[in-house]
Amino acid sequence: METRAGDPGAFAHFDLNRVDSPAFVVDAARLRANLSVLADIRDRAGIKILAALKAFSMWHVAPIIGEYLDGVCTSGLWEARLAAEHYTGEVATYCAAYTAEDLPEILRLSDHVIFNTPGQHARFATEIKAACESGNQFDIGIRINPLHAEGEVPRYDPCAPYSRLGCPVDQLTPDSLEGVSGLHFHSLCEQDFEPLERTWAAVKPHLAPYFNKLKWINFGGGHHVTRADYQREDLISFLRVVKAETGCEIYLEPGEAVALDAGILVGTVLDTLHNGMPLAVTDISATCHMPDVIEAPYRPAMLGELPIDEYEDAEGDAPVRLGGPSCLAGDVIGDYRMGVPCEPGARFAFLDQAHYSMVKTTTFNGVPLPSIWLWDSETDALECVKRFSWEDFRNRLS
Ligand SMILES: Cc1ncc(COP(=O)(O)O)c(C=O)c1O
């Protein structure tokens, strides 16, 4: 998979020695810039936008997010608790399957509770009735599968064949929408406007009979709206039309777009060796710190890297294969021509690491977690938000 992000922005001028290694560094100014793009779309289209916590839940910056957006979307009880403790605005919770233990608290903490199937909604009728009787204010949504695949990679495509995510839209019936106020679909991943437009064209005929019964329709995430070349004006015109023709409140719940290009992961070369090509072991592990590098897979862009295709077989200038300190042979990040000599102690940074990296880290092999820093490229203020200790590692185990 090829990522279309990787703009260094103000990080081009950031001294990597100012922070620990490894460390995530988030630029508050870039975050605000992304959020103002989203707020502008929200205001001009007359819709609501929620930030997806699954992508970026650095709750230290929750007040910044709250200044711009309408709330957050969460993926279950723990993110809903995070929303309640730290974030402001509406909370929309969707989980592929709830448990009877978690649901009462989710119903208490959320404004919109979205079920994956009408069957699950019906099975929890008792819990829902009890929550209403105790005065909880929420409405119910159903996630649909538009049955219209736009994804590049099946693993990231909720409309791929046999997907468990959402009720196939052709199975919706008036009965299945009894007690339901909203419909939700999420089927895009880092995509432009046109895939959204085509998806809506595919689902609209199925949903039109229900428009007058619905309060809201949520178009999920995957909209790469804060990328400079995204077709924002087309999106705004489209959302206005959809809102008028459906009579519903329209929601978007982007995650990646909130934190796009707003963070880097700083690392250090620990050792070098040669085995058919130059190799380096670093304190950044693909498997522990950037698992999407292996899972997607993709190659993260490096700050200040030199193009590989201009490589000439000059001694000392060959691409170096960077890998992590873990025992996993496949803990490989990629091949790079670093902008600095690749030797022990050299600092480097991978770009666009604020989203889907910080939330996915693990301590496999006892590899330390990167500390988390907040920088403001407008004021140059730099703050260490969190350092993780050996005790954090031990306390997750037993
Ligand atoms: C239901 C739902 N909403 C929102 C998102 C956020 O998507 P993105 O971060 O690609 O914008 C996701 C991502 O997987 C999702 O599954």
Side-chain angles (χ1 to χ4, degrees):
M1 185 170 175
E2 205 170 314
T3 176
R4 291 164 74 191
D7 170 7
F11 287 112
H13 311 290
F14 182 75
D15 175 1
L16 303 182
N17 291 302
R18 291 174 74 188
V19 295
D20 299 339
S21 181
F24 289 107
V25 186
V26 170
D27 177 5
R30 175 63 199 236
L31 191 59
R32 289 195 300 268
N34 287 345
L35 290 164
S36 4
V37 168
L38 292 167
D40 178 60
I41 290 170
R42 182 263 318 270
D43 294 342
R44 289 169 58 210
I47 61 153
K48 293 197 177 183
I49 300 192
L50 309 175
L53 291 190
K54 70 185 73 183
F56 180 64
S57 39
M58 181 177 170
W59 45 266
H60 187 77
V61 296
I64 304 183
I65 291 180
E67 267 175 52
Y68 293 85
L69 302 187
D70 299 287
V72 296
C73 74
T74 75
S75 321
L77 180 57
W78 286 4
E79 282 188 0
R81 281 189 191 164
L82 206 59
E85 268 189 24
H86 295 285
Y87 291 81
T88 50
E90 293 180 32
V91 177
T93 301
Y94 159 77
C95 182
Y98 297 106
T99 65
E101 293 73 36
D102 289 357
L103 192 62
E105 193 177 340
I106 288 172
L107 294 170
R108 186 164 60 74
L109 299 178
S110 313
D111 299 285
H112 314 285
V113 179
I114 300 160
F115 288 89
N116 196 49
T117 60
Q120 202 187 150
H121 172 216
R123 228 172 17 258
F124 282 120
T126 312
E127 286 79 356
I128 293 170
K129 187 159 174 275
C132 290
E133 283 168 2
S134 12
N136 295 326
Q137 305 273 321
F138 59 87
D139 60 29
I140 298 290
I142 296 286
R143 175 168 176 170
I144 56 163
N145 173 347
L147 298 174
H148 172 84
E150 287 281 353
E152 209 187 302
V153 180
R155 188 180 294 119
Y156 295 119
D157 184 357
C159 294
Y162 315 118
S163 171
R164 71 188 185 292
L165 301 172
C167 169
V169 67
D170 60 359
Q171 294 177 25
L172 279 186
T173 61
D175 280 355
S176 65
L177 293 182
E178 202 55 51
V180 170
S181 307
L183 291 175
H184 173 284
F185 64 85
H186 166 80
S187 56
L188 305 180
C189 177
E190 294 194 350
Q191 266 153 321
D192 283 342
F193 166 66
E194 283 181 0
L196 172 64
E197 192 181 33
R198 288 192 292 264
T199 304
W200 179 243
V203 290
K204 194 172 130 184
H206 295 280
L207 305 189
Y210 308 113
F211 286 162
N212 61 357
K213 297 197 178 70
L214 297 171
K215 263 173 37 190
W216 52 264
I217 304 177
N218 184 324
F219 286 179
H223 321 282
H224 232 199
V225 279
T226 47
R227 216 186 57 233
D229 59 349
Y230 185 93
Q231 309 72 25
R232 291 175 201 156
E233 296 306 317
D234 294 341
L235 176 69
I236 292 169
S237 318
F238 164 81
L239 291 168
R240 283 188 185 142
V241 170
V242 173
K243 189 173 170 173
E245 70 186 349
T246 61
C248 293
E249 186 70 71
I250 305 296
Y251 285 82
L252 298 184
E253 47 180 40
E256 177 157 340
V258 170
L260 192 75
D261 284 327
I264 56 172
L265 178 54
V266 176
T268 302
V269 173
L270 302 178
D271 195 14
T272 59
L273 66 158
H274 203 282
N275 181 10
M277 71 176 292
L279 303 166
V281 182
T282 77
D283 60 359
I284 292 186
S285 158
T287 192
C288 298
H289 305 149
M290 303 186 291
D292 283 355
V293 165
I294 297 172
E295 212 178 289
Y298 83 103
R299 175 189 180 280
M302 181 187 274
L303 184 66
E305 67 176 303
L306 306 172
I308 294 264
D309 49 12
E310 282 172 25
Y311 159 63
E312 283 168 27
D313 199 10
E315 193 60 34
D317 200 22
V320 181
R321 181 156 300 174
L322 300 185
S326 81
C327 65
L328 177 72
D331 189 357
V332 169
I333 303 163
D335 297 349
Y336 295 87
R337 281 182 69 216
M338 295 171 62
V340 294
C342 182
E343 55 197 27
R347 286 268 172 128
F348 59 88
F350 293 111
L351 297 170
D352 197 30
Q353 293 304 315
H355 57 83
Y356 294 113
S357 290
M358 208 188 288
V359 289
K360 285 193 165 192
T361 51
T362 71
T363 53
F364 173 56
N365 272 224
V367 172
L369 292 171
S371 55
I372 298 175
W373 296 66
L374 186 64
W375 177 52
D376 190 326
S377 57
E378 272 166 17
T379 61
D380 201 32
L382 178 67
E383 171 191 2
C384 179
V385 175
K386 186 138 192 155
R387 283 196 174 96
F388 298 93
S389 62
W390 173 77
E391 286 80 9
D392 291 318
F393 165 68
R394 181 197 56 197
N395 293 345
R396 280 190 58 229
L397 303 168
S398 61

